[in-house]
């Protein structure tokens, strides 16, 4: 069961197949690339040597208000668990890993653009909607955020 899941760093290229098949199967393979993928931290969930889940973390220093201090803001993107393995706690393990990594990297907050389907899941991690609902194609999203 879950004890066999191992979370390891992966390259951006290793995430592409799951990003495409789980998140955007109707789009071209290139659609799932992120412009600054090379600056991100990418993690994979493996069972044996099979990659079954991916998540990508990006940390940026931003000024929160004019004259304010710089703070590290972390964002995760392209979070995908293979359909055969969803609802088994794997996403929870990966997101907890990303929260710990974001803290380790000095980020003060964590955000994502969340599919509304997954809103309940994110709320369990203390993330709250900080935007109105918006759409990427037909899919409703809202921005979710929490402090770290
Ligand atoms: C959203 C996603 C990343 C979550 O990953 P996951 O591995 O399915 O998540 P978990 O199993 O940790 O938790 C999901 C649910 O399973 C439940 N669950 C966890 N362990 C379980 C177990 N052993 N048995 C049954 N249910 C379990 C959780 O309570 C949670 O319930 P919910 O459906 O009410 O939220 C994953 O489902 C996914 O890839 N979905 C499609 C793509 C997507 O929406 N990505 C996010 C874009 S913002």
């Amino acid at each position: 069961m879950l004890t066999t899941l191992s979370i390891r760093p992966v390259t951006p290229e290793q995430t592409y197949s799951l990003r495409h098949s789980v998140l955007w199967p109707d789009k071209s393979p290139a659609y799932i690339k992120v412009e600054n993928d090379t600056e991100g931290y990418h993690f994979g969930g493996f069972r044996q040597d099979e990659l079954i889940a991916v998540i990508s973390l990006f940390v940026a220093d931003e000024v929160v208000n004019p004259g304010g201090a710089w703070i590290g803001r972390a964002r995760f993107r392209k979070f995908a668990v293979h359909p055969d393995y969803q609802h088994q706690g794997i996403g929870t393990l990966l997101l907890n890993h990303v929260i710990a990594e974001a803290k380790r990297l000095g980020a003060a907050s964590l955000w994502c653009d969340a599919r509304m389907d997954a809103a309940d899941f994110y709320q369990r991690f203390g993330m709250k909607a900080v935007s109105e609902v918006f759409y990427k194609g037909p899919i409703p999203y809202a921005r979710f955020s929490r402090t770290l």
Side-chain angles (χ1 to χ4, degrees), residues 25-87:
D26 297 337
K27 300 283 188 183
S28 78
Y31 181 81
I32 52 71
K33 295 182 185 177
V34 173
E35 61 288 352
N36 60 340
D37 257 336
T38 55
E39 296 161 23
Y41 301 83
H42 308 274
F43 302 101
F46 291 83
R47 279 238 169 111
Q48 314 286 342
D49 282 330
E50 184 190 2
L51 181 60
I52 58 171
V54 293
I55 189 167
S56 297
L57 174 67
F58 299 85
V59 181
D61 284 331
E62 293 173 16
V63 175
V64 263
N65 49 47
W70 290 82
I71 61 157
R73 274 220 174 113
R75 172 186 189 181
F76 65 88
R77 305 186 71 172
K78 306 290 186 248
F79 186 15
V81 177
H82 187 289
D84 290 352
Y85 298 98
Q86 291 173 9
H87 300 282

Side-chain angles (χ1 to χ4, degrees), residues 22-23 79-81 86-92 115 121-122 124:
V22 178
L23 292 168
F79 186 15
V81 177
Q86 291 173 9
H87 300 282
Q88 297 176 31
I90 290 168
T92 297
R115 293 186 178 192
F121 174 78
Y122 293 124
R124 280 201 201 110

Side-chain angles (χ1 to χ4, degrees), residues 111-132:
W111 66 278
C112 71
D113 283 342
R115 293 186 178 192
M116 295 311 292
D117 276 357
D120 289 348
F121 174 78
Y122 293 124
Q123 280 166 1
R124 280 201 201 110
F125 294 82
M127 302 191 76
K128 293 190 170 57
V130 293
S131 77
E132 300 296 322

